[in-house]
């Protein structure tokens, strides 16, 4: 303004929003009055923002003041204005006033939205005001306010609690007319999709509606809710409760049900439970697809328990016996996971098996194998692995400098010249080009051991 530039509506929105977010509602209202005096025509959504902010902190009289000011200034309140006012009064327990406002706004020519009606229905239900709920529903029908699933769920929940089965049947006819009466298979698949994308509240709403209508949810519906349970704090207990409910209703879990539990337990690192699901699937003769096998192996390989890794290896064999193609990454990761436990024999068995199957053995698998063995306190085993690699050409993997870094770091720090000599001999016999880190580590190791001649020999090797 000082620069002679005229602020636009976006600028005004920013100012009002910043005041409202900082709970300075009075300042926001003062700003509206100021720009009104400057001749700015204030749109409805700016008034709505201030009204919503007052409502959020319970200043209901000021909400009404803004509403009246909107009308006086010629800014026609809309359905969103009605929603803001009604929600604020309901939130702070002023139900009678909320209904009065609702009726007054209707008299002002506003047609209520389904959102406003659902807010009122929900709060009327919480106070057991059934007659008013029914009157509001009839108003929605009369005013042609489009009903949605939430509308019917609120009413059916209340009628179910009251045992009013005849009224539920009447609502079913309305739902049929609104094309909202659930089809079990169609709804089951919708619930499954909602659970998979994390829309768990919507999935649960649909499930609840099905049950209240006397419809039996299918395995797809249960799978959706179980899968969505991972987004809840009590996800595991909720999932287990649903599994019991499924079995009580005679619904057999399928592979996707088990995959949901695998994800649930895996996300909480409950590896024993992941193994239990695998055993359950075998006992129940549930078809285990390749993606399920893959996910089982992927999760079990994160475990620090050798028993879990053995199960992963058993699964790998089962998939091989099916004749299925297995990603080389699975083999390589399993070998590395065994190495992380300080086991040199099992990874080498895996690597030999990979060589026999013609599976590509990654150079990095040997790097990880050596690193893991050294970190687990087994440097001698790590050196043995590299010597074995040197002697066994069927692996089709060449020794490289990265495979020696952990060993050099360990032995040069431990000042063990004899083992250091073994590393140097192996690298030179295999024409492995040393890195500057390896050369400097070896030189300083020999110097600390007062072996200057050997240090000089290493320096010359590095220079060459």
């Amino acid at each position: 303004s000082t620069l002679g530039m005229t602020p636009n509506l976006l600028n005004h929105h920013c100012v009002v929003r910043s005041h409202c977010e900082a709970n300075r509602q009075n300042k926001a209202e003062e700003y509206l009055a100021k720009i009104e005096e400057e001749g700015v025509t204030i749109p409805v959504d700016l008034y709505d923002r201030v009204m919503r902010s007052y409502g959020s902190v319970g200043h209901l009289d000021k909400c009404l003041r803004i509403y009246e000011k909107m009308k006086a200034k010629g800014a026609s309140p809309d359905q969103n204005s009605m929603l803001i006012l009604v929600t604020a009064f309901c939130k702070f327990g002023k139900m009678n006033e909320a209904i009065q406002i609702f009726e007054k706004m209707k008299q002002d020519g506003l047609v209520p939205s389904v959102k406003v009606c659902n807010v009122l229905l929900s709060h009327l239900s919480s106070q057991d005001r059934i007659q008013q709920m029914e009157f509001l529903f009839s108003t929605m029908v009369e005013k042609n306010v489009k009903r949605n699933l939430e509308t019917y769920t609120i009413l059916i929940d209340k009628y179910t609690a009251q045992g009013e089965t005849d009224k539920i049947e009447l609502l079913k006819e309305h739902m049929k007319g609104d094309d909202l009466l659930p089809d079990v298979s169609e709804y089951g698949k919708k619930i499954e999709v909602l659970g998979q994308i994390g829309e768990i509240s919507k999935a649960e709403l649909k499930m609840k509606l099905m049950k209240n209508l006397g419809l039996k949810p299918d395995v797809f519906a249960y799978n959706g809710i179980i899968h969505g349970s991972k987004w809840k704090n009590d996800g595991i207990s909720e999932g287990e409760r649903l599994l019991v409910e499924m079995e009580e209703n005679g619904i057999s879990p399928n592979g996707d049900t088990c995959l949901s539990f695998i994800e649930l337990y895996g996300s909480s690192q409950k590896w024993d439970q992941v193994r239990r699901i695998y055993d359950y699937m075998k006992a129940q003769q549930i078809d285990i697809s390749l993606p399920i096998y893959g996910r089982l192996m992927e999760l079990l390989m994160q475990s620090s328990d050798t028993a879990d890794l053995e199960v992963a290896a058993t699964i790998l064999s089962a998939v091989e016996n099916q004749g299925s193609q297995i990603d080389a990454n699975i083999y390589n990761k399993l070998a590395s996971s065994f190495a992380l436990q300080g086991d040199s024999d099992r990874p080498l068995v895996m690597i030999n098996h990979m060589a026999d199957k013609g599976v590509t053995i990654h150079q990095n698998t040997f790097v990880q194998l050596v690193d893991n063995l050294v970190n687990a306190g087994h440097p001698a085993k790590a050196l043995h692995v590299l010597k074995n690699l040197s002697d066994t050409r069927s692996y089709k993997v060449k020794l490289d400098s990265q495979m020696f870094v952990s060993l050099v770091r360990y032995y040069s720090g431990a000042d063990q010249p004899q083992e250091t000599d073994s590393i140097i001999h192996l690298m030179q016999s295999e024409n492995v080009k040393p890195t500057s880190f390896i050369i400097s580590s070896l030189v300083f190791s020999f110097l600390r051991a007062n072996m200057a001649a050997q240090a000089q020999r290493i320096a010359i090797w590095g220079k060459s």
Side-chain angles (χ1 to χ4, degrees):
S1 295
T2 305
L3 292 170
M5 299 165 65
T6 303
N8 59 26
L9 275 177
L10 178 61
N11 304 143
H12 296 315
H13 268 285
C14 289
V15 175
V16 171
R17 184 180 69 236
S18 62
H19 280 312
C20 290
E21 288 175 352
N23 283 328
R24 296 192 299 261
Q25 292 84 5
N26 288 334
K27 290 286 185 185
E29 192 176 356
E30 287 170 12
Y31 185 79
L32 289 186
K34 173 179 171 292
I35 60 176
E36 276 175 349
E37 289 175 3
E38 294 170 358
V40 175
T41 301
I42 299 176
V44 174
D45 56 345
L46 254 183
Y47 284 115
D48 281 348
R49 183 178 287 280
V50 180
M51 190 161 62
R52 184 188 297 109
S53 189
Y54 272 134
S56 68
V57 292
H59 292 166
L60 306 179
D61 55 335
K62 293 179 180 178
C63 284
L64 286 173
R65 186 175 71 203
I66 296 292
Y67 173 70
E68 294 299 335
K69 188 179 287 186
M70 288 167 72
K71 292 196 299 178
K73 295 294 181 180
S76 302
D78 57 16
Q79 288 183 334
N80 192 48
S81 311
M82 181 187 272
L83 178 63
I84 291 166
L85 264 179
V86 170
T87 301
F89 276 83
C90 287
K91 178 182 174 181
F92 289 95
K94 303 289 186 181
M95 272 306 303
N96 293 332
E97 291 87 340
I99 293 168
Q100 289 169 10
I101 290 165
F102 179 76
E103 292 298 331
K104 185 176 185 303
M105 294 180 91
K106 281 201 303 178
Q107 291 167 12
D108 288 344
L110 275 174
V111 177
S113 68
V114 66
K115 286 184 178 180
V116 176
C117 294
N118 287 346
V119 167
L120 275 174
L121 280 173
S122 179
H123 283 84
L124 287 169
S125 175
S126 68
Q127 296 183 8
D128 292 328
R129 295 162 73 161
I130 296 176
Q131 285 187 337
Q132 286 174 294
M133 289 176 71
E134 291 171 341
F135 178 76
L136 177 55
F137 180 73
S138 65
T139 301
M140 292 177 75
V141 175
E142 180 190 329
K143 295 288 185 183
N144 203 25
V145 177
K146 188 173 181 179
R147 282 76 64 195
N148 61 17
L149 280 178
E150 187 180 355
T151 312
Y152 286 109
T153 302
I154 295 166
L155 286 160
I156 290 169
D157 276 356
K158 183 51 65 178
Y159 288 148
T160 302
Q162 300 288 331
E164 306 251 21
T165 53
D166 54 334
K167 291 184 177 179
I168 291 176
E169 291 303 316
L170 285 172
L171 280 178
K172 280 186 182 180
E173 292 304 313
H174 279 291
M175 290 182 76
K176 196 180 293 182
D178 290 337
D179 199 25
L180 289 171
L181 192 63
D183 170 85
V184 174
S185 61
E186 183 187 338
Y187 253 50
K189 287 169 184 172
K190 284 181 179 178
I191 291 169
E192 186 175 40
V193 170
L194 287 169
Q196 287 171 348
I197 63 175
E199 296 278 4
I200 186 63
S201 58
K202 290 182 182 177
E204 288 175 332
L205 186 69
K206 286 182 183 290
M207 176 77 106
K208 191 175 186 182
L209 181 61
M210 287 183 77
K211 289 178 179 177
N212 286 341
L213 287 170
L215 300 172
K216 185 178 176 181
D218 60 10
V219 67
F220 300 106
Y222 277 106
N223 286 351
I225 304 293
I226 292 168
H227 187 89
S229 296
K230 68 181 180 183
W231 279 283
K232 301 173 75 172
N233 292 332
D234 59 343
I236 290 177
S237 58
E238 175 66 7
E240 290 171 344
R241 183 191 67 75
L242 287 164
L243 182 61
V244 171
E245 186 180 297
M246 283 178 74
E247 293 171 337
E248 287 174 350
N249 290 332
I251 299 169
S252 300
N254 61 15
D256 286 337
T257 316
C258 296
L259 180 58
S260 294
F261 275 103
I262 289 165
E263 296 289 358
L264 265 176
Y265 291 131
S267 63
S268 300
Q269 298 188 347
K270 292 183 178 292
W271 311 121
D272 56 330
Q273 296 291 68
V274 173
R275 289 203 313 267
R276 187 174 67 81
I277 293 296
Y278 175 59
D279 293 337
Y280 174 84
M281 293 180 79
K282 289 191 296 179
Q284 298 295 319
Q285 297 184 324
I286 295 171
D287 182 47
I288 308 177
S289 64
L290 191 58
I292 294 176
Y293 273 131
R295 192 63 182 132
L296 272 167
M297 286 187 285
E298 190 178 342
L299 287 169
L300 289 170
M301 284 188 289
Q302 296 175 23
S303 171
S304 57
D305 188 338
T306 306
D308 294 323
L309 300 181
E310 290 295 350
V311 173
T314 303
I315 293 171
L316 185 63
S317 297
V319 177
E320 285 179 338
N321 293 336
Q322 288 182 356
S324 300
Q325 189 71 29
I326 303 170
D327 193 320
N329 290 324
I330 296 286
Y331 286 102
N332 283 279
K333 189 170 181 180
L334 187 54
S336 297
S337 298
F338 274 116
L340 192 58
Q341 308 306 313
D343 185 343
S344 61
D345 298 329
R346 196 69 174 84
L348 285 173
V349 169
M350 280 287 306
I351 288 167
N352 287 329
H353 179 66
M354 290 162 71
D356 293 340
K357 297 279 290 183
V359 176
T360 303
I361 304 171
H362 297 166
Q363 202 115 0
N364 197 45
T365 297
F366 281 99
V367 174
Q368 289 178 340
L369 177 53
V370 171
D371 287 352
N372 292 341
L373 286 171
V374 172
N375 292 335
H378 303 286
K381 286 185 178 181
L383 185 55
H384 172 73
V385 165
L386 293 182
K387 286 178 178 176
N388 194 54
L389 178 58
S390 172
D391 296 337
T392 312
R393 298 301 174 187
S394 61
Y395 293 150
K396 299 178 183 177
V397 176
K398 289 180 66 177
L399 289 170
D400 71 5
S401 59
Q402 288 302 312
M403 297 178 185
F404 289 89
V405 169
S406 293
L407 274 170
V408 169
R409 183 185 291 115
Y410 177 87
Y411 281 124
S412 62
D415 290 335
Q416 297 184 33
Q418 189 174 352
E419 285 76 6
T420 307
D421 270 337
S422 297
I423 294 170
I424 296 166
H425 175 73
L426 182 58
M427 290 181 72
Q428 290 178 336
S429 65
E430 292 292 322
N431 294 318
V432 176
K433 185 179 178 180
T435 63
S436 57
F437 168 79
I438 289 174
I439 292 296
S440 58
S441 297
L442 291 172
V443 166
F444 283 118
S445 174
F446 282 121
L447 287 175
R448 282 196 301 273
N450 294 319
M451 301 170 72
Q454 286 90 330
Q456 187 175 19
R457 178 167 56 87
I458 296 301
I460 293 169
W461 177 40
K463 196 171 183 181
S464 67

